[in-house]
Amino acid sequence: MYALGRHLLVELKGCNAELLDDLQFLKECLHSAAIRSGATVVGDSFYHFSPQGVSGVVNIAESHISVHTWPECGYAALDVFTCGDTVRPEEAARLIMESLEATDSSLVELRRGLLQPRTSQCARL
């Protein structure tokens, strides 16, 4: 089976609460992780909740990297979804994990767009 993409679902616990509530820091963190993992950034959208917490997504040509934070719990939910063979999604996840100072984490990988191998290109479905 051939997979069009890889989707990493990452649980980050024991994170620095101040960093989890800092929209600008998170934006820079996700952008940097995307670039350093070989992705091409094409846009982003971030929102700071009241009284705390941030949701954000960095759109990459290869799909997206997103985060949702609960500073009061020291927790962040991170998604790294990449298509193709040029991006290193584990590298992006590792960089974000380290930047948020997570003391505990778990990662589940889903292979997306599972297809039977074909002799001709699938013409992007």
Side-chain angles (χ1 to χ4, degrees):
M1 295 291 277
Y2 171 76
L4 293 175
R6 298 173 61 201
H7 196 161
L8 305 185
L9 306 175
V10 187
E11 302 279 301
L12 301 177
K13 300 174 185 172
C15 298
N16 181 318
E18 288 183 21
L19 298 177
L20 293 178
D21 202 38
D22 186 333
L23 184 147
Q24 192 58 41
F25 171 82
L26 290 165
K27 186 175 183 176
E28 292 170 6
C29 177
L30 268 63
H31 272 261
S32 176
I35 293 165
R36 290 178 60 189
S37 68
T40 303
V41 175
V42 296
D44 66 56
S45 178
F46 283 78
Y47 181 78
H48 187 266
F49 292 94
S50 179
Q52 59 193 351
V54 175
S55 282
V57 61
V58 170
N59 300 100
I60 57 177
E62 302 82 6
S63 196
H64 70 272
I65 300 173
S66 65
V67 69
H68 189 81
T69 72
W70 286 262
E72 69 276 19
C73 300
Y75 171 79
L78 174 68
D79 285 10
V80 182
F81 184 18
T82 63
C83 299
D85 300 328
T86 61
V87 181
R88 300 173 310 280
E90 298 94 347
E91 177 74 3
R94 184 188 63 77
L95 290 166
I96 295 166
M97 188 180 325
E98 289 175 359
S99 295
L100 294 177
E101 303 172 8
T103 60
D104 186 22
S105 65
S106 64
L107 181 149
V108 173
E109 180 176 343
L110 301 174
R111 294 177 44 192
R112 307 289 303 269
L114 292 174
L115 304 172
Q116 293 292 334
R118 297 181 183 185
T119 55
S120 62
Q121 199 172 25
C122 66
R124 307 298 273 171
L125 297 178

